[in-house]
Amino acid sequence: MTTLTAGHISTFFDKWAPESTQLDFDNIGLLLGSKTKPVRTILTCLDLTEEVVDEAISLNCDLIVAHHPVIFRKLSRLNPDTVLGKTLYKLISADISVLAAHTNLDAAREGVSFEMANQIGLIHNEFLTHEDTSPPSGFGVIGEYQDKMAANEFLENVKIKLNCNVIRYSGKRKFIRKVAVCGGSGSFLASQAMTMGADAFITADLKYHDFFITKEPGLMLLDVGHYESESPIIDKMRNTLRDEYPELTVESTSVNTNPIQTY
């Protein structure tokens, strides 16, 4: 029986979400640890915080798969006197490897935006905008509901399904059926959502002036929060890894790493 390693998991993610599709600023792949390290237990998460590391240690994890890279910018020094340094020290001391799937998983079929669309109940989902790659990749998703729903019903559905404390939105629409989504910061896709005939576009990190785009007729624009828009991918990564490697123990973090509170 083949011993699974961090390299095997990295190769699997490269098939699902090829590293070649990452954006230029990103830092993905196996960020900490050796490809030859045997893996028996994996923890999936959105943000790799110290609390998540403590959870991984308690579960005897060999690997953490995170959406957001714990090492993003160039490190000029490493010491345990900073939040990042302390987190990395704990990981190294516990011999836990780290793999990040960030903008490559944003761009993947059945990646972040697809899972967001699934979570709110959209069907017939396709890329909102795509690159000419094989396998196909792109950003954002557009789909539809089986039946149209009133705007208030739509807002309530999104709030419940994405576990939002609050939704910021603009624009008026009596009924909603065709919906575009983009997990994380997706304001750059708002015009494309309108071009594709969406009744609503759901994303995060919108600025004040972004909301004025709904002066164009027929679009509701929703900001559900960065964490809320991307958190469904945590369980998606867990379930996908469980299906691919039934011999492994794969768990989702129980830590809510959202740093934003509402009052």
Side-chain angles (χ1 to χ4, degrees), residues 40 52 56 70 142 144-145 162 179 182 221 230 255 261 263:
R40 296 169 298 275
V52 173
V70 66
I142 189 162
E144 62 185 21
Y145 288 109
L162 295 181
V179 179
C182 180
L221 184 62
E230 293 186 332
V255 179
Q261 301 179 60
Y263 179 75

Side-chain angles (χ1 to χ4, degrees), residues 223-254:
D223 185 329
V224 296
H226 197 112
Y227 179 88
E228 290 81 359
S229 72
E230 293 186 332
S231 58
I233 200 62
I234 301 172
D235 285 349
K236 175 67 175 182
M237 290 192 292
R238 178 199 65 191
N239 295 338
T240 303
L241 285 168
R242 283 179 175 178
D243 290 343
E244 184 71 16
Y245 303 108
E247 65 271 41
L248 294 179
T249 299
V250 188
E251 302 294 345
S252 298
T253 183
S254 62

Side-chain angles (χ1 to χ4, degrees), residues 78-86 89:
L78 180 60
N79 61 64
D81 300 324
T82 65
V83 172
L84 175 58
K86 189 176 181 182
Y89 260 69

Side-chain angles (χ1 to χ4, degrees), residues 102-253:
H102 191 208
T103 55
N104 57 321
L105 196 54
D106 289 329
R109 182 169 288 279
E110 303 310 320
V112 174
S113 293
F114 275 89
E115 191 57 24
M116 182 184 174
N118 293 336
Q119 194 79 8
I120 65 170
L122 299 181
I123 58 175
H124 305 143
N125 299 320
E126 294 295 339
F127 285 114
L128 182 59
T129 183
H130 61 86
E131 303 159 17
D132 187 17
T133 59
S134 182
S137 64
F139 291 98
V141 165
I142 189 162
E144 62 185 21
Y145 288 109
Q146 186 71 45
D147 300 299
K148 66 181 181 181
M149 61 177 70
N152 285 347
E153 181 186 1
F154 164 69
L155 288 168
E156 185 67 16
N157 175 68
V158 172
K159 184 177 181 182
I160 291 171
K161 295 297 177 60
L162 295 181
N163 196 27
C164 304
N165 288 327
V166 64
I167 294 175
R168 299 190 303 148
Y169 77 97
S170 64
K172 294 181 180 180
R173 184 90 184 185
K174 190 172 182 180
F175 294 105
I176 301 292
R177 184 169 186 181
K178 195 172 186 179
V179 179
V181 305
C182 180
S185 305
S187 61
F188 68 101
L189 290 173
S191 295
Q192 179 67 9
M194 287 192 295
T195 299
M196 297 290 287
D199 302 317
F201 176 49
I202 311 169
T203 188
D205 301 340
L206 296 175
K207 297 179 181 179
Y208 174 78
H209 291 285
D210 293 331
F211 287 99
F212 282 99
I213 196 172
T214 56
K215 285 186 176 180
E216 300 292 333
L219 182 75
M220 285 185 70
L221 184 62
L222 283 64
D223 185 329
V224 296
H226 197 112
Y227 179 88
E228 290 81 359
S229 72
E230 293 186 332
S231 58
I233 200 62
I234 301 172
D235 285 349
K236 175 67 175 182
M237 290 192 292
R238 178 199 65 191
N239 295 338
T240 303
L241 285 168
R242 283 179 175 178
D243 290 343
E244 184 71 16
Y245 303 108
E247 65 271 41
L248 294 179
T249 299
V250 188
E251 302 294 345
S252 298
T253 183

